[in-house]
Amino acid sequence: DAGVTQSPTHLIKTRGQQVTLRCSPKSGHDTVSWYQQALGQGPQFIFQYYEEEERQRGNFPDRFSGHQFPNYSSELNVNALLLGDSALYLCASSPGTGNRGYTFGSGTRLTVV
Amino acid sequence: AQSVTQPDIHITVSEGASLELRCNYSYGATPYLFWYVQSPGQGLQLLLKYFSGDTLVQGIKGFEAEFKRSQSSFNLRKPSVHWSDAAEYFCAVGPNTGFQKLVFGTGTRLLVSP
C-alpha cells in the first residue's frame, strides 16, 4: 500500500522563478494538506484541499496556490520565489477533513538561490 | 493564539535510559494532540494521538504520552530508549471539530549515546 508520494524530492530554483510541487495521497485518502518546514522549525500549515477546493488556508501570501485533481492528487505552486521560500514542503493526506491525524510524505526540498 | 512550546531543543539520552520530551500548548478549546517523529531527510510519522478519554495514550515503538489539562501539557515518554529512536520529535495540536489544521512546536532533537 503506497503511502503519500511527493515529487520531485529535491529542487533548485532561482529567485523570481515559479515552481510546482506534486503530491499523490495515500490510497483511500481524499484530503490533501500542504505544510512548509523551514530549517530548524516545525511544519507550518499552508492550505488544505478537499473536493477540489481550498478549504482552509494558513498565513501564506497569494504567491502560494494549489490545486486538487479529481483523483485527489494535488499540486502546490509558488510564484515569484524568494530566498525565504527555501524549505522542505510536506504533503499530508487524510480520509475526510476531520482532525484524526495525517499521513505525511517525505517532502520536497526546495532551495532558492 | 494557538501555540505549542517544546522547551528542549536538544536532549541526549543514554541507550536504555528513560526519556521524557516536554510539550505545552496554548489553545482556546480542548484540542486534539499529536506527537510525530521525523528522521533526517524524511517526512513525519505519527507516534500517537489524543482525542478524548483516557489521558494516558499508547503509541507505536513503545512510546506513550500523558495529557494533563490543568498543566496544558502532553509530554512524551519512553521507558527504555534505543539508538534507532534518535530523531526529531514534534508535538502538534489541532481543533477537535471542523477542518484539520495542525500547529506544530519547533521540535526536540533526540540524541542517543551508547
Side-chain angles (χ1 to χ4, degrees), chain A residues 33-38 41-48 54 56-66 76-79 81-82 84-90 110, chain B residues 101-102 104:
Chain A
S33 302
W34 287 91
Y35 284 78
Q36 180 196 65
Q37 186 179 17
Q41 301 296 316
Q44 290 198 324
F45 178 78
I46 303 175
F47 42 52
Q48 180 185 76
E54 182 182 295
Q56 195 168 11
R57 188 179 184 90
N59 188 25
F60 280 80
D62 292 344
R63 299 186 297 109
F64 289 77
S65 63
L76 165 66
N77 301 291
V78 187
N79 294 323
L81 284 167
L82 305 173
D85 295 331
S86 295
L88 180 67
Y89 288 85
L90 294 164
L110 172 65
Chain B
K101 168 189 171 182
L102 295 185
F104 284 84

Side-chain angles (χ1 to χ4, degrees), chain A:
Chain A
D1 176 26
V4 178
T5 304
Q6 291 187 244
S7 63
T9 55
H10 296 83
L11 202 53
I12 299 175
K13 289 287 189 178
T14 303
R15 275 180 300 173
Q17 285 188 317
Q18 179 264 344
V19 68
T20 297
L21 310 182
R22 295 177 176 82
C23 172
S24 293
K26 181 179 179 179
S27 177
H29 289 185
D30 56 5
T31 302
V32 173
S33 302
W34 287 91
Y35 284 78
Q36 180 196 65
Q37 186 179 17
L39 199 61
Q41 301 296 316
Q44 290 198 324
F45 178 78
I46 303 175
F47 42 52
Q48 180 185 76
Y49 277 84
Y50 173 69
E51 293 185 337
E52 301 181 49
E53 290 188 14
E54 182 182 295
R55 298 293 177 167
Q56 195 168 11
R57 188 179 184 90
N59 188 25
F60 280 80
D62 292 344
R63 299 186 297 109
F64 289 77
S65 63
H67 189 77
Q68 185 179 35
F69 299 93
N71 67 353
Y72 308 126
S73 67
S74 177
E75 289 181 348
L76 165 66
N77 301 291
V78 187
N79 294 323
L81 284 167
L82 305 173
L83 295 180
D85 295 331
S86 295
L88 180 67
Y89 288 85
L90 294 164
C91 173
S93 72
S94 55
T97 57
N99 200 13
R100 310 300 282 186
Y102 297 117
T103 298
F104 279 88
S106 296
T108 294
R109 172 70 63 186
L110 172 65
T111 302
V112 182
V113 297

Side-chain angles (χ1 to χ4, degrees), chain B residues 73-105:
Chain B
S73 70
F74 189 56
N75 294 348
L76 182 70
R77 301 194 293 248
K78 187 170 184 179
S80 178
V81 169
H82 187 263
W83 64 267
S84 61
D85 293 324
E88 187 99 24
Y89 291 81
F90 292 94
C91 179
V93 299
N96 58 19
T97 59
F99 291 105
Q100 180 170 202
K101 168 189 171 182
L102 295 185
V103 175
F104 284 84

